[in-house]
Amino acid sequence: MIGVLILALFLFFFPSVISHQKSFAFFVLAFGALLLGPQTIARFEETGIKKFLALFRDLFTRNPFARFITRKVFFLLLALFLSLTLVFIIPYLMPVNPLDIIMSRLAARPGATPLQIETMYQRYNVLFGLDKSIIVQYGLFWKRVFTLNFGVSISFYPNTIMSLVLYALPWTLSLVIPIWILTFIVGNNLGGWAAFSKNKFIHTLYTIAVCLNTSPYYWFGLILVYIFAVKLRWFPSGGAYNPFLMVSLKPRFLLNVLYHYILPFLSLFITSVGNWCTGMRAMTIYERQSDYIFYSKQLGFTENKVRNYAQRNAILPQVTGLPIILSALIGQTLLVEYVFGWPGLGTLAYQAVTAIDYPMIQAIFLITVGLVLFGNFLVDIIYGFIDPRIRRGYVGG
Amino acid sequence: MTVLKITGEKKDKDLLLVKDLRGYYRGIFGVVHAVDGVSLQVGEGERVGVAGESGCGKSSFAQLITGTTTPLLHYESGEVRVDGYDIWNISPEVLRKKVKCELISYVPQAMLSSLNPIKKVKEFIADMFRERTGCSYSVKKVCEIATEHFERLNLDRSVLDLYPYELSGGMMQRSIIAISTMATPKLLITDEPTSALDVSSQKRVIKMMIDIQRKGIIKSFVCISHDLSALNQLCNRIVIMYAGEFVESGGNEDVIKHPLHPYTKALMDSLLPLERETKYKPLSSIPGVVPDLRNPPHGCRFRDRCEKRMEVCNVEDPPEIVKGKRMVKCWLYK
Amino acid sequence: MSSRVTLLLKNRKFQFLLGIVIVIIMLGIIGPFFTRDPLKIAGRIYEPPSSQFLLGTDMAGRDVFAQLCNAIRDSLIVGFIAGFSAVGIAILIGAVLAYAGGVVDEGANVITNVFLVLPQLTILIVIASLLGKRSLIIVAILIALFNWPWMARSIRSQILSLKERKFVDLARISGKSDFVIVVKEILPNMLAYIFLVLIIGISSAVVIESGISVIGLGPTEGFTLGKMLNLVIRHEAAQQGKWWYFIPPGLILVIFTGSLLMITAVIDNVLNPRTREI
């Protein structure tokens, strides 16, 4: 089942194989199937719809874990709905008609003739249905969301917005996801060690991490560029790959990308490690005073095992911080991409902003929000797995 | 910590020898003299109870004789020898391996968080085996050993598959006693084993503890409690503790039926025997409060609440008077 | 309470950190009066620091130190306005929710959860790109609009726990209305906590402002640290190695936010005995 899911995700990125709408629908179906489980699907085939619906209802009300998942799915859908509505409503809350703003800015550009402006105006009107009532526009908005068709980009005419965003997305994800996971692992370990040991080296590492955490990540990127790219000339100062190389999956190209990847990665990694340190250290200190640690020590456990116990228990609340860190990380990654000229969503957003390409901005926002909410959902589910108390339906404590 | 005797020598036959032990709590609140010069001898086969009211230092004493204390409690001076090993003067590694893994076992009060909340009971026991013996045991093998041990102590085997939060107070206490005795320690130290339980669970715990000793799983135990009736059933020797000092000790029949120290007498008086006249007798209590242990008074610590107070009690610390198996720390018996 | 405040003021760490913060604030307030006009071309292009120009000149020959002082001032203005308004809104909403209870509270909780998870920077980009003219105050209010949810949640939980205390019961029995209770009894006990939240709010507002300014979506009037960094990146000052231009603005941000955060840690340590390390 998970394989099917991954396949659907994979196919999503290759529009030549299957169209976006279809792969998106496929993805949703596969996900639903994963939730329900293969047994339910098999039973559905056997017994027919009424029994299936009853089973469905049982599944979701009896099993505490399924109830937990349902609650999370509900939250995900609600959040998606709210944020998309938000992004739809914002232009209408502005005192001025947003279309007029866009048009006035376009008019301010050199070489714009009144005829061009007029045609663009009409085109926008048709595309967004601005001549119709707001309810119809809202409906059109949702239609656009579900079919993932945002139209053509103004700044990169004639590329469709979707294709541009899909090209940029993997670049951003290649930074965000490894950093998200690695900083969690390293940061929490550092915090846990700092709580247990009196080693000076570990404590200095910890203090450095926390101090650097308060700096703007992109600024730290500038420092790294200055030291490593300008002064030492070890790494390139920008871009994702040498523009003279062909884009391909060959090792030569990949190595070149990796070479360009290191500085942005480091600037994000070193600064975000500190996010976890203080929290984990406080939690571990708190756990260290608990009764089971005392009892384990009395029973003769080694110091390492005791630390392991404390850390395993202390990390649970830390996991709940993952989604928030993810959303902050995405924001910061956009800025870092801008500094390094990394061709991800960040640079795309900057270009969209300077060209006042509002549909593009909207699309980037949607993708970002979708990513964050999905990550949030994933983390909630994973937490349900690792905390045995939730698995058994224990809600208190 | 100075690394004096790494291998340790076995001196006496006593399993536990405590001489003039002192342990203080140090913190921003000052220095609390929780345990101020106590001495005790426990031989093989003895069951000793330490009784006293809350705050007299019983739990601190229990921690000080195992070698691991809660963060604010510090060992100050005195000798504690477990089967010959001077636990406060050996390296932590020897303390862990020799003493904790083989000789002593400590049973804490059954608070719900005494077991690791994210591990099933059998996983915790498997960890314990791995840590104590250094070999890797599979959870299945551990289950077998544990089941056998649990059943020998009349505990239900299903406890092993549960998570700690799924156990009731009574089950938790008995499981902890079972876990602590699994590696057959020679000396078992239990801290308030019956306090957090209802009466029927108390009975089962007491029965279990007597069983353990009778079946030879442990050789002796030291039981700390404020519940004198439980101690009466469990132990053959009782020590009364007050404000950080041992004020009386002896066989439990002697101490309970013929108390010598004024405090012990008052304690026994305040217990309610189940007689008809109880309804009409007023409850007797001991007037006054326990002295502030940050500034322990000179002389006898009980003097402010004692009816038989004499001049000398205000000035000098009473001596410990030993007569055979009995000890009493009071000027009355000089 | 005042004894605890004096205890705090005597703490060495606190004095040191507070000193740093005050120096920076002074630079922002007094600096612009004593330095040259930051917009005037006063020297040659990209001159390194000298006795004439404390931090050298930028790509057009303007005084960097003067720019820095003005930038600090405007960034601080945004930070303070955003911080205070966010805390104000948070107290109002937090108190209302704490007393409302029931469905309203639950619903607001869910909405706050949604808000918390959304990427703040991205939303700000969307909104800011739509507004034509963005004054400092408007930017500050925008930032405040996204900071108040987590503040409101912390304040609400504090109020909830204080609500159960005996002195509140006393006030209620003596017939005081809920509103009076909150203002006269509960809030004064939470002052330290509110102060902490305020400090965190101000420091995060300053950083967020620099974030949106860097890509060019900051205030259209005024000159903040973020805008300075925007110029730095647009003209590739780092790649050209002009360290006196790109290091100071970020450094001020780091020192300012870092000190503020450490101040909160010290305050927490001194005023809350339970978190003191054993």
Side-chain angles (χ1 to χ4, degrees):
Chain A
M1 266 303 153
I2 302 189
V4 171
L5 207 62
I6 297 181
L7 182 68
L9 208 54
F10 196 60
L11 285 178
F12 190 69
F13 285 106
F14 287 86
S16 51
V17 177
I18 179 172
S19 84
H20 286 135
Q21 294 89 317
K22 289 200 202 118
S23 72
F24 186 60
F26 187 38
F27 180 75
V28 169
L29 274 176
F31 195 65
L34 180 70
L35 277 184
L36 293 176
Q39 303 96 326
T40 32
I41 303 221
R43 285 227 224 154
F44 172 49
E45 286 161 2
E46 282 177 32
T47 57
I49 293 204
K50 250 210 176 125
K51 274 228 158 164
F52 175 65
L53 283 177
L55 197 74
F56 198 79
R57 187 201 49 191
D58 275 346
L59 185 75
F60 282 105
T61 50
R62 294 262 189 81
N63 185 350
F65 192 45
R67 239 189 320 199
F68 170 73
I69 293 194
T70 334
R71 227 191 353 243
K72 296 300 170 186
V73 170
F74 180 65
F75 179 76
L76 172 70
L77 295 177
L78 180 70
L80 270 176
F81 179 73
L82 279 176
S83 44
L84 293 186
T85 309
L86 185 74
V87 88
F88 172 76
I89 291 233
I90 288 178
Y92 297 94
L93 294 177
M94 297 294 146
V96 192
N97 182 359
L99 199 55
D100 287 339
I101 300 181
I102 300 178
M103 287 302 133
S104 62
R105 289 206 205 139
L106 280 178
R109 289 232 202 111
T113 64
L115 187 62
Q116 282 177 336
I117 299 174
E118 192 57 35
T119 42
M120 286 250 68
Y121 194 81
Q122 289 310 321
R123 195 180 191 145
Y124 262 111
N125 258 338
V126 168
L127 185 62
F128 291 99
L130 286 172
D131 37 352
K132 307 195 185 76
S133 72
I134 200 168
I135 311 243
V136 178
Q137 287 181 42
Y138 193 43
L140 280 177
F141 172 74
W142 281 107
K143 172 163 168 258
R144 279 207 306 277
V145 168
F146 275 113
T147 56
L148 289 179
N149 175 15
F150 290 101
V152 180
S153 149
I154 300 180
S155 33
F156 288 105
Y157 196 88
N159 293 323
T160 60
I161 292 184
M162 214 52 211
S163 65
L164 287 168
V165 167
L166 282 181
Y167 171 73
L169 187 63
W171 292 106
T172 302
L173 284 181
S174 71
L175 272 180
V176 168
I177 294 193
I179 297 251
W180 191 44
I181 299 181
L182 280 175
T183 52
F184 182 72
I185 298 177
V186 173
N188 279 316
N189 266 306
L190 189 59
W193 271 98
F196 261 91
S197 92
K198 303 211 190 337
N199 190 340
K200 279 230 154 142
F201 177 63
I202 292 186
H203 272 271
T204 19
L205 264 188
Y206 172 81
T207 331
I208 294 180
V210 175
C211 282
L212 282 180
N213 188 37
T214 53
S215 61
Y217 298 2
Y218 56 90
W219 176 78
F220 190 70
L222 285 180
I223 298 217
L224 283 186
V225 163
Y226 177 64
I227 301 179
F228 290 103
V230 177
K231 286 287 171 188
L232 290 175
R233 295 194 175 271
W234 282 356
F235 292 105
S237 64
Y241 51 88
N242 191 333
F244 293 109
L245 281 184
M246 271 259 292
V247 181
S248 67
L249 286 172
K250 291 218 189 84
R252 183 155 171 246
F253 179 70
L254 288 178
L255 272 176
N256 191 272
V257 169
L258 200 66
Y259 181 55
H260 284 83
Y261 180 76
I262 293 191
L263 278 187
F265 177 80
L266 277 179
S267 71
L268 274 174
F269 182 75
I270 297 181
T271 42
S272 13
V273 167
N275 270 325
W276 302 106
C277 287
T278 27
M280 184 62 172
R281 178 163 174 270
M283 286 306 305
T284 317
I285 291 184
Y286 177 72
E287 290 292 323
R288 216 167 45 147
Q289 302 161 24
S290 55
D291 300 317
Y292 64 90
I293 295 282
F294 183 59
Y295 184 46
S296 309
K297 274 205 232 171
Q298 291 283 18
L299 282 178
F301 278 46
T302 47
E303 192 67 26
N304 277 332
K305 190 68 179 177
V306 169
R307 192 185 65 237
N308 175 288
Y309 267 18
Q311 275 183 288
R312 285 273 205 94
N313 275 279
I315 219 173
L316 289 179
Q318 292 287 88
V319 172
T320 50
L322 268 177
I324 302 182
I325 295 287
L326 178 66
S327 69
L329 195 61
I330 287 190
Q332 296 290 350
T333 312
L334 297 195
L335 295 177
V336 168
E337 284 178 6
Y338 170 57
V339 167
F340 279 95
W342 186 259
L345 289 176
T347 341
L348 203 63
Y350 178 65
Q351 286 157 337
V353 159
T354 27
I356 323 120
D357 191 351
Y358 191 67
M360 172 93 93
I361 298 178
Q362 228 179 14
I364 296 181
F365 175 72
L366 287 177
I367 294 278
T368 320
V369 167
L371 257 177
V372 169
L373 287 176
F374 190 68
N376 180 24
F377 175 68
L378 258 178
V379 169
D380 279 339
I381 302 284
I382 292 182
Y383 187 81
F385 274 108
I386 58 176
D387 187 353
R389 290 171 279 200
I390 297 207
R391 247 188 289 161
R392 298 280 183 102
Y394 176 71
V395 187
Chain B
M1 246 193 280
T2 42
V3 180
L4 279 185
K5 299 169 188 137
I6 301 191
T7 50
E9 308 143 22
K10 305 219 169 179
K11 278 201 183 159
D12 319 290
K13 248 197 315 197
D14 283 335
L15 257 192
L16 176 68
L17 178 66
V18 180
K19 245 201 242 174
D20 201 30
L21 175 64
R22 281 166 211 275
Y24 301 162
Y25 282 93
R26 291 181 184 277
I28 357 161
F29 39 77
V31 179
V32 179
H33 298 240
V35 178
D36 229 349
V38 301
S39 305
L40 181 67
Q41 270 173 305
V42 180
E44 284 198 18
E46 293 201 279
R47 309 193 300 270
V48 180
V50 178
E53 54 192 87
S54 309
C56 68
K58 316 190 294 289
S59 294
S60 318
F61 173 69
Q63 290 171 24
L64 284 167
I65 53 180
T66 57
T68 308
T69 57
T70 50
L72 285 178
L73 179 59
H74 295 270
Y75 158 79
E76 292 290 319
S77 65
E79 212 181 315
V80 179
R81 280 188 188 277
V82 176
D83 210 12
Y85 290 96
D86 186 350
I87 61 173
W88 287 106
N89 281 319
I90 50 179
S91 72
E93 192 45 37
V94 176
L95 176 67
R96 185 187 84 82
K97 273 209 94 57
K98 292 272 162 222
V99 179
K100 292 212 181 127
C101 297
E102 293 171 21
L103 294 173
I104 302 190
S105 237
Y106 173 82
V107 176
Q109 196 172 355
M111 288 160 277
L112 277 176
S113 46
S114 283
L115 293 175
N116 191 348
I118 57 175
K119 286 202 174 225
K120 289 193 190 161
V121 176
K122 59 182 178 191
E123 290 166 9
F124 181 72
I125 299 180
D127 275 342
M128 183 185 77
F129 268 89
R130 251 172 251 145
E131 294 296 308
R132 284 174 96 122
T133 58
C135 326
S136 198
Y137 280 73
S138 74
V139 180
K140 235 182 170 196
K141 181 129 193 285
V142 166
C143 250
E144 289 167 15
I145 306 177
T147 314
E148 186 200 316
H149 184 76
F150 271 48
E151 275 170 3
R152 200 156 32 134
L153 296 174
N154 288 321
L155 251 188
D156 198 3
R157 190 220 164 278
S158 62
V159 167
L160 289 172
D161 295 318
L162 297 176
Y163 280 99
Y165 65 85
E166 293 171 318
L167 297 174
S168 73
M171 294 242 68
M172 170 87 79
Q173 181 72 74
R174 283 152 67 211
S175 319
I176 292 186
I177 295 181
I179 294 177
S180 295
T181 53
M182 218 177 283
T184 59
K186 285 196 187 166
L187 175 66
L188 185 69
I189 304 171
T190 54
D191 192 354
E192 307 274 4
T194 54
S195 307
L197 308 176
D198 60 283
V199 184
S200 42
S201 303
Q202 281 184 14
K203 180 162 183 229
R204 274 190 231 127
V205 167
I206 293 177
K207 192 163 177 301
M208 186 190 208
M209 286 183 61
I210 299 180
D211 242 357
I212 299 182
Q213 209 235 359
R214 212 161 4 113
K215 289 186 177 156
I217 301 179
I218 57 175
K219 298 259 178 340
S220 347
F221 64 70
V222 174
C223 181
I224 319 259
S225 179
H226 58 255
D227 187 354
L228 282 165
S229 46
L231 287 180
N232 191 17
Q233 296 172 57
L234 270 176
C235 316
N236 52 15
R237 247 177 77 197
I238 289 194
V239 175
I240 309 279
M241 190 168 184
Y242 181 76
E245 295 176 329
F246 284 171
V247 295
E248 184 166 354
S249 81
N252 61 339
E253 290 282 323
D254 291 334
V255 173
I256 292 184
K257 294 257 167 61
H258 310 286
L260 292 177
H261 194 278
Y263 175 63
T264 327
K265 281 209 196 117
L267 261 187
M268 297 307 152
D269 281 343
S270 66
L271 287 182
L272 290 175
L274 275 177
E275 298 163 359
R276 281 258 212 99
E277 297 91 53
T278 322
K279 255 209 298 187
Y280 307 103
K281 278 201 228 159
L283 274 178
S284 60
S285 63
I286 313 176
V289 288
V290 182
D292 185 353
L293 287 178
R294 272 180 291 187
N295 290 312
H298 298 295
C300 178
R301 293 188 182 188
F302 189 60
R303 62 163 194 269
D304 290 328
R305 308 166 82 182
C306 183
E307 332 172 288
K308 306 228 176 96
R309 179 173 58 226
M310 305 184 294
E311 266 308 310
V312 63
C313 301
N314 287 334
V315 181
E316 266 190 73
D317 213 22
E320 292 186 7
I321 301 161
V322 183
K323 230 202 274 184
K325 283 254 163 183
R326 295 206 73 177
M327 182 279 278
V328 70
K329 193 173 189 208
C330 184
W331 283 112
L332 283 174
Y333 299 93
K334 185 74 176 148
Chain C
M1 236 270 280
S2 51
S3 64
R4 289 193 289 177
V5 174
T6 38
L7 188 66
L8 188 68
L9 289 173
K10 284 201 195 137
N11 187 328
R12 283 250 145 163
K13 250 188 180 176
F14 183 72
Q15 290 169 344
F16 177 62
L17 294 168
L18 192 65
I20 295 181
V21 172
I22 290 184
V23 163
I24 294 182
I25 296 184
M26 281 300 129
L27 265 183
I29 299 182
I30 304 184
F33 290 111
F34 286 95
T35 54
R36 296 187 192 83
D37 184 356
L39 294 176
K40 225 161 63 156
I41 299 180
R44 281 179 301 195
I45 298 180
Y46 276 138
E47 258 182 70
S50 58
S51 52
Q52 215 192 0
F53 296 104
L54 272 178
L55 280 175
T57 60
D58 69 351
M59 71 298 247
R62 299 177 285 219
D63 185 353
V64 171
F65 184 66
Q67 286 187 359
L68 192 68
C69 292
N70 279 284
I72 294 180
R73 183 185 63 182
D74 285 345
S75 287
L76 284 179
I77 290 179
V78 172
F80 274 85
I81 296 182
F84 275 93
S85 32
V87 171
I89 300 178
I91 294 182
L92 244 135
I93 298 199
V96 164
L97 284 183
Y99 269 87
V103 181
V104 176
D105 198 20
E106 285 288 324
N109 219 4
V110 173
I111 296 187
T112 317
N113 271 335
V114 175
F115 251 100
L116 276 181
V117 177
L118 295 180
Q120 193 175 10
L121 217 56
T122 336
I123 300 187
L124 280 174
I125 293 178
V126 170
I127 299 183
S129 64
L130 281 174
L131 295 171
K133 264 169 109 63
R134 300 177 290 268
S135 71
L136 286 177
I137 301 184
I138 291 190
V139 171
I141 297 201
L142 265 186
I143 296 179
L145 276 180
F146 284 93
N147 257 347
W148 71 258
W150 62 265
M151 290 184 181
R153 163 174 290 182
S154 322
I155 292 185
R156 167 184 162 273
S157 46
Q158 263 300 85
I159 294 185
L160 274 180
S161 70
L162 280 178
K163 204 167 76 147
E164 306 303 320
R165 298 263 210 99
K166 296 275 157 47
F167 65 91
V168 173
D169 282 341
L170 259 172
R172 228 183 351 188
I173 292 178
S174 59
K176 297 202 182 145
S177 72
D178 277 342
F179 176 70
V180 172
I181 294 180
V182 168
V183 173
K184 287 230 172 111
E185 306 278 342
I186 296 188
L187 282 184
N189 274 286
M190 278 175 55
L191 274 181
Y193 192 73
I194 295 182
F195 187 60
L196 276 181
V197 169
L198 182 70
I199 292 183
I200 300 183
I202 293 179
S203 66
S204 77
V206 171
V207 173
I208 294 173
E209 185 277 323
S210 85
I212 54 172
S213 294
V214 160
I215 43 175
L217 282 177
T220 42
E221 348 169 310
F223 186 67
T224 62
L225 289 169
K227 279 186 113 171
M228 207 164 155
L229 284 170
N230 176 314
L231 287 176
V232 162
I233 296 181
R234 275 228 300 260
H235 296 269
E236 301 205 336
Q239 280 87 337
Q240 293 180 34
K242 312 294 174 198
W243 56 269
W244 58 89
Y245 190 36
F246 79 85
I247 292 195
L251 199 62
I252 295 279
L253 274 174
V254 176
I255 297 179
F256 186 65
T257 38
S259 315
L260 281 183
L261 249 57
M262 281 204 266
I263 286 182
T264 58
V266 170
I267 292 183
D268 210 23
N269 223 16
V270 169
L271 294 185
N272 189 353
R274 262 177 286 140
T275 59
R276 245 177 278 199
E277 273 174 67
I278 300 177

